[in-house]
C-alpha cells in the first residue's frame, strides 16, 4: 500500500523519502533518550537501542556514525524542548521566572528527561566524556541567561533586597539540578514544581 500523506484538503500527496527519514531519525533519538536515561552513556549500547524500536544496528549507523554522535542528538533534543517551554526574555523578567517554574513542572511530568540529565551530568564531569563540553557550555549559558533575567527583575523592582543577580543565578542552576536529582531518587517525596516555585519566591516577587 502506498505511504501517502492524507492530511489536509486537496489530492493525496506522497510523503516522500525525506519525511520518512526524518521520522525514523526522531524515533532513534527518542529510543536513545530512554536508553541513556535508564543506563547512562557508558551503560547504554547501540544494540539495546535497536531492540527498543525493532531495527538493525546498520540502520542506526546509517543515521549516526557513533554512540557519541547519537548522544549529541539526544542532548540537543532535550535542550530544544527546554527552550520551547521556558523561553527566557529579559524584556519580560517576571514572565521568564514563571517560565522557569513551568519548566520544572513539565520535567516532573517527564521523568525520562530528568533521568537523562542526572545520569549524563554525573558522567560528564570527566574531561574525556563526550558530553563534557556540551554540559560546560550548557551551564555557562544557563547562568548567563538566568543572570540576565534576575538583573532585569532587579531593575523592575521585583528582586528581593540584598540578592545579587549573578551569584543568585549560580544558585538557581544548582537548585534546579539538585531538586531534580532528589526527585529521581525519591519521586514520592519531592515535587519539582512546588519546591522550585517556593525557592524562587525567596529571590523574586512574582
Amino acid at each position: 500500500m502506498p505511504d501517502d500523506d492524507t492530511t489536509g484538503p486537496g489530492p493525496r500527496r506522497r510523503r516522500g523519502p525525506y519525511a520518512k527519514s526524518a521520522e525514523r531519525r526522531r524515533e532513534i533519538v527518542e529510543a536513545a533518550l530512554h536508553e541513556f536515561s535508564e543506563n547512562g552513556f557508558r551503560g547504554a549500547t547501540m544494540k539495546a537501542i535497536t531492540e527498543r524500536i525493532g531495527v538493525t544496528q546498520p540502520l542506526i549507523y546509517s543515521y549516526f556514525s557513533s554512540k557519541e554522535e547519537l548522544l549529541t542528538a539526544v542532548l540537543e533534543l532535550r535542550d530544544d524542548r527546554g527552550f520551547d517551554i521556558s523561553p527566557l526574555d529579559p524584556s519580560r523578567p517576571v514572565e521568564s521566572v514563571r517560565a522557569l517554574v513551568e519548566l520544572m513542572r513539565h520535567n516532573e511530568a517527564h521523568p525520562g528527561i530528568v533521568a537523562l540529565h542526572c545520569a549524563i551530568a554525573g558522567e560528564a564531569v570527566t574531561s574525556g566524556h563526550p558530553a563534557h563540553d556540551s554540559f560546560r557550555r550548557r551551564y555557562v549559558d544557563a547562568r548567563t541567561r538566568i543572570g540576565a533575567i534576575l538583573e532585569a527583575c532587579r531593575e523592575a523592582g521585583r528582586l528581593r533586597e540584598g540578592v545579587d543577580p549573578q551569584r543568585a543565578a549560580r544558585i538557581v542552576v544548582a537548585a534546579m539540578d539538585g531538586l531534580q536529582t532528589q526527585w529521581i531518587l525519591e519521586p514520592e517525596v519531592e515535587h519539582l514544581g512546588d519546591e522550585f516555585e517556593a525557592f524562587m519566591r525567596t529571590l523574586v516577587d512574582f
Side-chain angles (χ1 to χ4, degrees), residues 13-190:
R13 294 178 300 165
R14 198 173 293 277
R15 292 173 60 192
Y18 180 80
K20 289 182 182 179
S21 176
E23 182 178 341
R24 176 62 78 184
R25 186 182 190 279
R26 285 193 299 270
E27 185 180 19
I28 294 170
V29 174
E30 290 281 358
L33 185 154
H34 292 294
E35 180 65 20
F36 290 144
S37 298
E38 294 176 12
N39 298 301
F41 174 76
R42 303 198 187 280
T45 66
M46 296 296 264
K47 181 176 184 293
I49 294 169
T50 64
E51 291 174 350
R52 284 178 178 270
I53 51 178
V55 299
T56 63
Q57 289 191 59
L59 176 66
I60 288 188
Y61 282 115
S62 71
Y63 288 89
F64 301 96
S65 62
S66 64
K67 191 168 71 167
E68 289 79 5
E69 185 178 338
L70 183 51
L71 174 63
T72 298
V74 169
L75 295 177
E76 289 174 353
L77 173 65
R78 176 209 57 185
D79 287 343
D80 287 345
R81 288 177 174 174
F83 290 139
D84 287 344
I85 297 161
S86 181
L88 302 185
D89 181 358
S91 69
R92 305 178 64 191
V94 174
E95 291 84 351
S96 294
V97 171
R98 291 172 182 158
L100 280 176
V101 174
E102 181 58 30
L103 174 62
M104 292 294 273
R105 295 194 191 284
H106 171 84
N107 288 350
E108 189 170 354
H110 297 82
I113 294 289
V114 179
L116 169 70
H117 177 86
C118 294
I120 303 301
E123 295 180 345
V125 296
T126 57
S127 59
H129 192 278
H132 179 78
D133 290 341
S134 173
F135 268 80
R136 285 193 61 182
R137 290 192 300 269
R138 183 177 185 277
Y139 281 123
V140 170
D141 181 64
R143 292 196 305 267
T144 301
R145 288 159 61 88
I146 293 173
I149 295 303
L150 296 180
E151 289 276 9
C153 285
R154 181 170 63 179
E155 294 173 5
R158 295 297 191 109
L159 198 66
R160 303 295 183 190
E161 185 175 353
V163 174
D164 177 84
Q166 298 307 318
R167 181 173 293 172
R170 288 182 176 271
I171 298 172
V172 169
V173 174
M176 295 177 80
D177 275 16
L179 285 171
Q180 291 183 138
T181 299
Q182 293 179 66
W183 178 70
I184 284 295
L185 294 173
E186 296 186 275
E188 72 282 359
V189 175
E190 301 293 332

